[in-house]
Each structure stands twice: as C-alpha cells, then as structure tokens.
Amino acid sequence: MTDKQGTPDQLPAEKGQGGAGVTYQLAVFEFENFRGKKVEFSGECKDVMEKMQKVGSIIVESGPWVGYERPGFAGAQFVLEKGEYPRWSTWTNCLDSYSLSSFKLLKVDSADHKLHLFENAVFEGRMMEIVDDDVPSIWAYGFQDRVASAKAINGTWVGYMYPGYRGPQYVFEHGDFKHWNDWGANAPQIQSVRRVRDMQWHKRGCYIATTPTPPNPAPAPAPAPCPQSKPNP
C-alpha cells in the first residue's frame, strides 16, 4: 500500500536567513519512512502542526537545522544535519521526547570552532577550552559534569547531558551563555559536546567517513613436504 502525495507545500525562507549564498532545505513527512503528507521548508517554521498532524520522518537536503519539541521554538532541541531520518529514534535517543513542532535554521558562519565551558554561572569557577575537537566525555579531559555557563567563541556546537552524545541536546551558537537556562537546560549538567559542521566547509557533514585500511594479506601456507617413497622389500 502506498500513500498518495500531491505537490508538497513549500514554505520560503525569510529575507536574510542563512547568510549570503547559503541555502537551507528540509522536508518533513507525516509518517515514518518518508510516507504520507510532505511539507518542504527553506526557512524557519514556528508551528509545523498548522500544516500536518505530526512529524514521522525527515530529510535534510541542506542545513543544518534545529528542531524543537513544542511550537514557537520551545522544549527539547534536536540538531538535524544533512541526511535522512526515517523515524524519531534517528534524531534523538531521549525517550522523553517524541514530537517535533517547530524548526529553525542553524547559522554556521565559521570553519573554526572554539568553546569555553565554566563550572559556575556568569563565567566563574574552573574553565575548560575546546578547540576544533569533539569531546565524547568531558570527564576524560579532567573536567566535571557541572557546566553552568559557556561562551561559544567560534562555530556552532551541540552539548549533551550524558557522555557519548546521549540525552537532551543543547545548541550553542556564537555568543555568551551566562546561565544554563540560557541554553534551555533545567540543570547545569553537560557531559559531551561536538561541533555542528556545515556542508560549506565539511562536504560530508559532521562525521567524516574514513577509508578503512586493507588488512595485511595472510602469508601463504608452507608447501607440504613430499612423502618419501619406501623401497619394496
């Protein structure tokens, strides 16, 4: 059984969004596996529920974007980079959030990345500097999980409550965040961070595929010794 689809709704970008020469394109589908009604966006959307009842799958043609749990860019955040998201579990591993209701463009205006994390609010206490790197566990770098303020000096970042890029997500665009409420958190806890890397500089998006090194060929087995013939008695 296939879902009949007409011409998808197209929502244009507002003037000045994304910066000069940068295009954004995102398509949302009502059901999983890219089925049902389709709506395309090239600019922010404050309430996708005005166009469809729910979001079951997503295709990001170009971006990056950030989706929000509730209308008006509120609630849990979900970073969406170029690629396909056939079901909700592909854009989040947080079991508390099942819905997407609004979308906003993420501006990535620098190929360089620098982030400062602070132990206390208003940039006080211990400080950790991260430069051009992804950190799956800030504990491994000798920093605690309490992060109460931050400065995104270069690039755009996403922080996670738990190690290994798991749990609620928090977006850090260029600017100062004096308190954890400024990035939408209810507690001063971040345990992993990574860069949001745009196609303009990183053609494969955030995760760069590496070519596997071919294994060394196994040595040829030594030839079996020829059996010696025994003389007839």
Side-chain angles (χ1 to χ4, degrees), residues 4 63 203:
K4 295 182 179 179
K203 299 302 181 183

Side-chain angles (χ1 to χ4, degrees), residues 10-196:
Q10 177 75 37
L11 302 184
E14 296 180 7
K15 184 177 180 181
Q17 288 183 331
V22 180
T23 60
Y24 290 79
Q25 192 72 30
L26 173 134
V28 298
F29 299 81
E30 190 173 9
F31 303 119
E32 292 185 355
N33 297 316
F34 320 114
R35 297 180 298 111
K37 185 176 181 180
K38 176 183 179 182
V39 181
E40 294 182 346
F41 299 94
S42 56
E44 68 178 27
C45 174
K46 294 183 179 180
D47 189 359
V48 71
M49 298 307 159
E50 295 178 352
K51 291 288 184 178
M52 58 174 53
Q53 293 183 353
K54 64 178 181 178
V55 176
S57 50
I58 303 169
I59 296 178
V60 179
E61 297 291 345
S62 58
W65 299 70
V66 56
Y68 293 85
E69 180 184 14
R70 299 196 297 271
F73 317 121
Q77 306 168 33
F78 311 97
V79 173
L80 302 168
E81 291 160 295
K82 180 178 173 65
E84 296 184 351
Y85 302 82
R87 61 190 58 84
W88 71 270
S89 59
T90 56
W91 64 73
T92 179
N93 52 34
C94 184
L95 301 180
D96 297 332
S97 302
Y98 293 90
S99 62
L100 276 174
S101 299
S102 52
F103 297 91
K104 184 185 290 187
L105 312 176
L106 270 182
K107 296 181 181 179
V108 182
D109 54 4
S110 173
D112 301 321
H113 293 77
K114 181 185 288 188
L115 178 70
H116 288 174
L117 303 177
F118 296 86
E119 179 183 12
N120 299 323
V122 200
F123 319 120
E124 295 184 353
R126 296 181 61 200
M127 187 270 284
M128 177 180 182
E129 180 179 80
I130 306 172
V131 180
D132 292 331
D133 198 8
D134 299 333
V135 181
S137 173
I138 64 175
W139 274 95
Y141 283 69
F143 200 73
Q144 70 283 332
D145 62 351
R146 177 182 170 85
V147 177
S149 56
K151 288 186 178 184
I153 299 172
N154 294 110
T156 302
W157 300 76
V158 53
Y160 297 81
M161 179 174 285
Y162 304 121
Y165 316 121
R166 297 179 298 110
Q169 305 176 29
Y170 309 112
V171 174
F172 296 92
E173 293 183 280
H174 181 268
D176 294 347
F177 302 82
K178 296 182 179 180
H179 191 275
W180 61 86
N181 293 154
D182 293 344
W183 61 76
N186 296 321
Q189 180 178 340
I190 290 179
Q191 296 191 38
S192 54
V193 294
R194 68 174 179 87
R195 297 161 289 178
V196 178

